[in-house]
Amino acid sequence: MVNHIACITLLIALLVALLAKPLEAPLQHTGNVLLLTAHPDDECMFFAPTIRALVRAQTPVFSLCLSVGNADGLGSIRRDELAHSLEVLNIPAHRRWAVDHPDLQDNFTARWDPVTIASVLQPYVKSNNIETILTFDADGISGHPNHCSLPDGVAHLPAPPRLYTLVTRPLHAKYIGVLAPLLAKFSFYQDCIYPAVSEHFNQLFRFAAETSSPQPVIVSGIYDYLTALQAMRAHTSQLVWFRWLYVLFSRYMWINEWAESRPTPLR
């Protein structure tokens, strides 16, 4: 009995140790970094691990949200909630903006025009010397058409900065909660200690880990996750029951995996 208790205690201690500290295979970026989002709450629901890592590294992080999330007539409220959330995430007021453009309204059935996105985005990129943009990939994580529009909008800039897009994972890997960081960290440490079994492990757990690529990956520690949760709580108008399920089970509260895209300037 004592041995069983000791084993359980040791296992819990190991799991807590794995979760405690962040783990980063960092982005290769230079200069100022702009996080480009579509709606208030995107910053904490999807990008918090990266924001926390960049702020910790003292990278100048800027945030531009291309709508105020006015689909339900709550635009002014959601703009204020976004400001509070970004405050929690340590992005200062002079580096964050939310745009309320008539052609970039929160709409789950419509893609945004890339030329309009580029025309709104360009002044912020130019005036703040933005060298790297972080945004959604073409699948938009959740498939929201506003999310999916953003990388195409960046491609329409006259001289696009370096672009990283957040990798959309299959449904079976999106909602595994705390297993996501545990498996990612276990896989990483296994690679360091015993590379010979890495391929077998990644094949065995590929349905859940989904982190075996050499792409930049950022895994939050417990404190980073709790900070992201605090930022999400700033969005009080959005805290319906299914969003509580999201923050408990989404891998994006814990892990960000990035793919570098090289948009070609359009002529």
Side-chain angles (χ1 to χ4, degrees), residues 29-93:
H29 69 276
T30 57
N32 295 342
V33 175
L34 175 68
L35 174 66
L36 180 65
T37 58
H39 315 111
D41 73 19
D42 289 348
E43 77 292 339
C44 55
M45 290 181 66
F46 303 107
F47 299 100
T50 299
I51 296 173
R52 292 287 300 164
L54 292 173
V55 169
R56 187 162 47 243
Q58 299 184 328
T59 299
V61 182
F62 297 73
S63 171
L64 176 62
C65 185
L66 290 184
S67 81
V68 294
N70 199 37
D72 298 316
L74 300 174
S76 60
I77 292 172
R78 297 196 66 190
R79 188 198 293 268
D80 290 341
E81 291 173 347
L82 174 62
H84 294 152
S85 172
L86 290 171
E87 196 71 36
V88 171
L89 295 171
N90 289 318
I91 298 182

Side-chain angles (χ1 to χ4, degrees), residues 160-212:
R162 193 169 198 169
L163 174 63
Y164 284 97
T165 56
L166 188 63
V167 175
T168 298
R169 289 301 180 191
L171 185 63
H172 60 251
K174 281 182 182 176
Y175 301 109
I176 57 173
V178 75
L179 277 177
L182 285 173
L183 289 170
K185 291 180 179 181
F186 186 81
S187 180
F188 174 82
Y189 290 124
Q190 173 195 258
D191 288 350
C192 296
I193 298 170
Y194 192 14
V197 299
S198 295
E199 184 176 353
H200 176 71
F201 176 86
N202 288 328
Q203 287 295 319
L204 184 63
F205 291 106
R206 67 185 182 278
F207 71 95
E210 294 283 350
T211 55
S212 58

